[in-house]
Amino acid sequence: MSVLARIEKAAVATTKREKEACARFGYEVYVKEMGYTPPGTNHDARVVWDEHDEKENAIHLYAGKLDDIKGIMRLIVWEPGQIDPGFHDAYSMHLFPGIEQMRTGEIGRLMIRPTVRGKLVLPALVRLVFELMANEYQLDLAFAECR
């Protein structure tokens, strides 16, 4: 069996139920595992879901089944001239000449369940996000950071 045939299935979260599952998974990894409390953390609901997650330009990806998510990733897409000022500053986007004419994105919230790290969950999420960036959204430039 080829490696590609064993890659975990990844999907875009389109329903409220799928997005809520991603938010709960984010809480499990960031808060419970890493001890990190990012903006948008709601301890009562046990979710990580910030103001950017609600916007139409936020695309949430997940691998696994809703009752057993193995990994998540978020892609934010900005049309030319529409980059969120906070992201613009955080990534020093002013250093990229002509960025205001480019369709730009941010890849973030990549989290993988500890028991499947080193498996084929990461390639599944990366494959899907790159397909979206290249084909559906035709991004000119994308940014990411690691924590």
Side-chain angles (χ1 to χ4, degrees), residues 21-106:
C22 290
R24 285 191 304 274
F25 185 82
Y27 188 89
E28 282 181 42
V29 174
Y30 271 162
V31 179
K32 289 173 64 180
E33 179 192 343
M34 298 175 66
Y36 172 58
T37 306
T41 299
N42 180 329
H43 293 289
D44 293 332
R46 299 174 68 84
V47 297
V48 172
W49 197 257
D50 67 25
E51 65 197 58
H52 304 288
D53 292 308
E54 289 298 326
K55 296 181 180 177
E56 284 186 28
N57 65 332
I59 298 98
H60 299 274
L61 315 175
Y62 68 97
K65 298 177 182 171
L66 285 186
D67 59 349
D68 185 28
I69 288 184
K70 296 178 180 177
I72 63 172
M73 181 183 285
R74 178 179 74 183
L75 171 64
I76 299 176
V77 176
W78 296 288
E79 293 299 320
Q82 301 297 313
I83 298 170
D84 179 276
F87 286 95
H88 189 277
D89 294 344
Y91 286 112
S92 301
M93 293 185 191
H94 66 279
L95 297 174
F96 294 84
I99 194 168
E100 57 279 342
Q101 283 86 41
M102 296 179 190
R103 185 173 285 155
T104 307
E106 191 256 359

Side-chain angles (χ1 to χ4, degrees), residues 81-146:
Q82 301 297 313
I83 298 170
D84 179 276
F87 286 95
H88 189 277
D89 294 344
Y91 286 112
S92 301
M93 293 185 191
H94 66 279
L95 297 174
F96 294 84
I99 194 168
E100 57 279 342
Q101 283 86 41
M102 296 179 190
R103 185 173 285 155
T104 307
E106 191 256 359
I107 305 164
R109 295 275 176 88
L110 169 61
M111 293 175 241
I112 298 176
R113 183 175 303 286
T115 56
V116 293
R117 290 181 186 151
K119 308 284 186 207
L120 295 174
V121 176
L122 176 62
L125 290 167
V126 169
R127 177 180 175 204
L128 180 54
V129 80
F130 273 92
E131 286 176 359
L132 291 169
M133 289 188 311
N135 299 329
E136 187 166 338
Y137 297 104
Q138 299 179 349
L139 294 186
D140 297 302
L141 194 58
F143 293 84
E145 71 173 295
C146 295

